[in-house]
Amino acid sequence: MKDQYAELDNPAWNALTSEHQEFAVGGGLAKRYRPDIVSFTAFAEPVAEAAASLDPFMAAGEQFFIIGDLPPLPAGWEVKNDLVCLQMVYNATATIPVSSGIQPLEEKHAQEMYDLVQLVQPGYYLLNTHRMGHYYGIRQEGQLVAIAGERMRTGRFTELSAICTHPGFTGRKYAQQLIAHLVNSNLAAGKIPFLHVSEKNERAIGLYEHMGFTTRRKISFRLTAKLK
C-alpha cells in the first residue's frame, strides 16, 4: 500500500521542486534554498554523486542543514550536529476555535519577526525565511510577542514552523492559537499541515498531540559545514 505521506521523507527536495522552485539553486541531482532564505539542502537521492554536484553551490565555511537520509559527503564537508526530530502530521479533520487577535505579518515586519525567533529559537530562521509562506503574530501593547508561520511547502503539504512566544508572555496559549489559525487556513486550502519538533521537547510534543498531530517518523536535521 502506497504511503500517502511518502513525499515527507524528503521534504526539502519536494518543496524545492514544487512550491518553492523560485528559491531553488542547484541542478537535477541536488538543490539548496537560496542562502538568504533558509540554510537547507536537498538531494533527489542520498548518493555521493548528488552531494558532490551541490558542492560548487556551497561557500567555504558555510553551515547548512541536511534533512533526512545522509548521502556520502564530499571532501571538506563535516556533520557538526544531528538534531533528531519527530515529524508530526495533522490527522484531525475539525477546525480548531481561535479567539486571540491574530495579525498577518508582512515584509515590513521582517526585522521584529527575526528578532523574536532568534530570541527563542536561534539558528533555524533567517531574515528572509518569512518569504517561504504565510506568517502570523500576536501583539501586546504594540510588541510582537508570539509568532508562527509556514516553511517547507509542497503541493499537498505545508510545514508549520517558527512557533515561538516571547519568554515574558508564555502560558497564555498564544502558540496554540497561532497553530490553530495555520491549521485551519491550510485545511481550507486542501493542504495537510505537518511540523518538526525535537524528540526531546516533550512539552511541545504534548501540545501538538493535544491539537491533533500524530508522529509519522523520526527525521534528522544534520548541521553540516563545508570546511574549505
Side-chain angles (χ1 to χ4, degrees):
M1 183 177 178
K2 184 178 179 180
D3 181 359
Q4 63 174 321
Y5 301 119
E7 67 183 74
L8 297 184
D9 289 338
N10 197 356
W13 177 261
N14 287 309
L16 285 166
T17 54
S18 60
E19 295 288 309
H20 282 165
Q21 291 183 59
E22 64 181 300
F23 303 131
V25 177
L29 297 177
K31 301 181 187 296
R32 64 167 299 169
Y33 277 92
R34 278 181 9 212
D36 64 308
I37 298 296
V38 73
S39 300
F40 291 171
T41 59
F43 308 100
E45 298 291 341
V47 296
E49 183 182 6
S53 75
L54 196 61
D55 185 68
F57 299 97
M58 314 307 294
E62 183 177 6
Q63 293 191 343
F64 48 91
F65 291 92
I66 298 174
I67 304 169
D69 295 336
L70 185 69
L73 301 181
W77 288 28
E78 180 180 290
V79 174
K80 295 293 188 179
N81 183 56
D82 184 356
L83 177 67
V84 180
C85 292
L86 302 186
Q87 185 181 78
M88 305 185 75
V89 179
Y90 189 76
N91 273 322
T93 55
T95 57
I96 306 169
V98 177
S99 58
S100 296
I102 293 173
Q103 302 176 356
L105 298 173
E106 303 171 355
E107 187 71 34
K108 63 183 179 181
H109 305 118
Q111 188 64 54
E112 60 180 336
M113 295 163 66
Y114 175 80
D115 291 343
L116 178 56
V117 179
Q118 291 303 304
L119 175 67
V120 181
Q121 298 177 1
Y124 295 88
Y125 183 95
L126 304 178
L127 189 61
N128 290 325
T129 299
H130 68 92
R131 295 180 181 176
M132 297 174 74
H134 299 98
Y135 279 75
Y136 298 91
I138 295 174
R139 294 182 182 276
Q140 287 294 331
E141 299 181 357
Q143 179 185 356
L144 184 64
V145 299
I147 185 177
E150 301 169 347
R151 194 165 58 179
M152 291 181 284
R153 295 188 296 141
T154 73
R156 295 183 58 229
F157 299 95
T158 300
E159 182 197 23
L160 309 190
S161 184
I163 302 165
C164 57
T165 302
H166 189 286
F169 295 86
T170 57
R172 306 185 189 191
K173 297 186 177 180
Y174 289 158
Q176 185 170 338
Q177 293 289 302
L178 288 165
I179 296 166
H181 182 80
L182 285 164
V183 163
N184 293 344
S185 62
N186 275 282
L187 291 177
K191 298 288 189 76
I192 300 173
F194 73 104
L195 53 81
H196 296 104
V197 57
S198 169
E199 65 175 353
K200 298 179 180 179
N201 193 344
E202 296 181 358
R203 181 177 180 181
I205 292 168
L207 169 63
Y208 300 145
E209 290 176 339
H210 173 73
M211 297 187 71
F213 287 85
T214 58
T215 297
R216 176 178 175 262
R217 59 164 291 183
K218 291 184 178 182
I219 190 167
S220 287
F221 282 61
R222 294 181 176 90
L223 178 63
T224 306
K226 179 176 177 177
L227 303 178
K228 58 182 180 178

